[in-house]
Amino acid sequence: MLSQEWFSPSEIAALALPGMPGTKANVIGMAERGDWQRGDWKDVRWRQRTGRGGGIEYHYSVLPQVAQIKLTLDLVAIEEASERETAKQELTRDEMWKWFEGLPEHKTDEAKMRLEALDAVRTLVQTGLKKTFVMQQIAAKNGIKLSTF
């Protein structure tokens, strides 16, 4: 089951699904030509939209099969990414350090060098120097691009 199964014509157009029009008006036209609002399909394949503005929402099952497949793949990818992000946020401090220590040495060395550079910037800014000037100097000294600092 998908995390979202009902879509307004605007949402369908914005998804840019294969075999589907790219504008709200054209999605509505396709729905009319395809008789998506048949009386016996009410609350099964279409429903009145609750909330501001009203309108109609369509169940994804009324879409062409190629659009359903793409939509399903996209929603599953989003859900998986969200689950990964949640898992990352639930890591304890010790688990994060264990992960960091498991990285290749060149990655940890780079991270440590950048941390030292940021610490130097913080220390110098606290003495009253301008942050932009300090960042430029530390970046040049450590071979760090200012835009990635």
Side-chain angles (χ1 to χ4, degrees):
M1 185 170 224
L2 300 176
S3 60
Q4 182 178 352
E5 295 185 5
W6 297 91
F7 300 89
S8 70
S10 297
E11 291 171 327
I12 293 170
L15 290 169
L17 297 170
M20 293 301 301
T23 67
K24 175 183 174 181
N26 288 343
V27 171
I28 291 170
M30 184 177 195
E32 289 170 357
R33 288 187 304 279
D35 199 21
W36 291 1
Q37 291 182 16
R38 292 179 16 196
D40 58 331
W41 281 6
K42 186 171 192 227
D43 295 325
V44 176
R45 301 225 173 159
W46 69 275
R47 67 181 182 187
Q48 290 295 134
R49 183 175 177 273
T50 58
R52 189 173 177 178
I56 300 289
E57 289 180 318
Y58 298 103
H59 192 265
Y60 77 98
S61 63
V62 299
L63 304 176
Q65 191 172 26
V66 67
Q68 289 181 40
I69 292 168
K70 175 77 165 99
L71 176 64
T72 302
L73 292 174
D74 289 351
L75 290 177
V76 166
I78 290 168
E79 290 168 15
E80 287 174 352
S82 177
E83 288 171 6
R84 282 192 302 273
E85 196 57 38
T86 300
K88 283 182 191 175
Q89 292 172 358
E90 293 174 356
L91 290 176
T92 65
R93 179 185 167 108
D94 290 339
E95 290 170 329
M96 286 185 225
W97 275 113
K98 185 176 179 180
W99 172 82
F100 176 75
E101 290 166 352
L103 291 174
E105 187 175 346
H106 72 279
K107 294 273 189 188
T108 58
D109 290 346
E110 176 77 13
K112 289 174 184 174
M113 185 269 298
R114 287 178 183 265
L115 177 61
E116 290 170 4
L118 289 170
D119 189 43
V121 168
R122 182 178 51 110
T123 301
L124 292 170
V125 168
Q126 286 176 340
T127 67
L129 294 173
K130 299 286 184 186
K131 182 170 81 172
T132 304
F133 172 74
V134 170
M135 288 180 68
Q136 290 170 340
Q137 298 303 311
I138 299 293
K141 178 180 178 253
N142 290 290
I144 301 171
K145 291 183 181 177
L146 191 58
S147 62
T148 63
F149 205 154

